[in-house]
Amino acid sequence: MPLLWDSVSKILFNFSTLARSSALQFSHLFNSMDSQSQNTSLQRLQNVEKRIVRVLELAGGVMDEMANPSGPRKEVIDSHCSEFMQLIKDIQVTLREEIKSACEYRPFEKCDYVPRISNEICCKKLEYVISQFDDMKRTIEGYHAASLDNMALD
């Protein structure tokens, strides 16, 4: 009995930790999603919430069965544990899909700010290079003029 109780309590602890961390991730990601994707995603998460409630009911059912004065019924515990594990798997799959979907959402995908700024920087760099070439051209012209003057004097 203590071994089963330890297993159930570990599963519930791990599950609650997963649910809390997923909730935190979703709260940050939902703020930037559009309303249509939020609605379908929220519907899926509401279904997950219902499954979580069912998981807790199953865990409570197993605990009640373990406390049964006439002893636990194996078929009830097996049934509850099977459904419990299946629901946990379903919840994990759904949460993974939702996290992946939320992470793939790109709210600034059509924004041209970065390319526009990049182009402006390139233009400024080109203006600077052109001014340097102009300075070099004047310097070369000055050398040519000076050398022509020196040749004329000779």
Side-chain angles (χ1 to χ4, degrees), residues 9-144:
S9 63
K10 284 179 187 177
I11 289 171
L12 287 175
F13 175 77
N14 290 336
F15 179 73
S16 66
T17 303
L18 171 69
R20 265 186 264 129
S21 67
S22 297
L24 285 174
Q25 289 175 340
F26 283 121
S27 68
H28 294 299
L29 294 171
F30 271 176
N31 293 334
S32 62
M33 294 176 72
D34 65 9
S35 63
Q36 184 179 5
S37 61
Q38 273 185 356
N39 287 339
T40 56
S41 189
L42 285 174
Q43 289 169 350
R44 286 189 292 268
L45 290 174
Q46 285 174 343
N47 289 334
V48 165
E49 186 177 20
K50 290 175 186 174
R51 289 181 189 146
I52 291 171
V53 169
R54 179 65 185 146
V55 161
L56 295 174
E57 288 172 352
L58 289 169
V62 168
M63 300 305 288
D64 288 343
E65 193 61 35
M66 297 298 285
N68 190 348
S70 62
R73 293 173 292 181
K74 184 181 181 329
E75 64 278 354
V76 172
I77 290 180
D78 286 345
S79 166
H80 282 17
C81 288
S82 298
E83 188 178 351
F84 178 91
M85 292 308 294
Q86 185 58 50
L87 284 170
I88 293 291
K89 287 177 187 177
D90 292 345
I91 290 167
Q92 286 178 330
V93 166
T94 304
L95 289 177
R96 280 190 192 117
E97 288 171 357
E98 288 303 308
I99 290 169
K100 182 180 175 187
S101 173
C103 288
E104 289 173 351
Y105 180 72
R106 308 256 188 254
F108 302 109
E109 192 171 88
K110 295 179 183 177
C111 178
D112 68 342
Y113 177 77
V114 173
R116 193 167 32 91
I117 293 300
S118 210
N119 285 339
E120 287 181 28
I121 291 170
C122 286
C123 287
K124 294 293 182 189
K125 287 180 180 178
L126 285 173
E127 288 173 6
Y128 177 75
V129 169
I130 289 170
S131 72
Q132 293 298 310
F133 280 142
D134 288 343
D135 289 345
M136 288 171 58
K137 182 180 176 184
R138 281 192 291 278
T139 303
I140 291 170
E141 288 172 352
Y143 281 127
H144 283 302

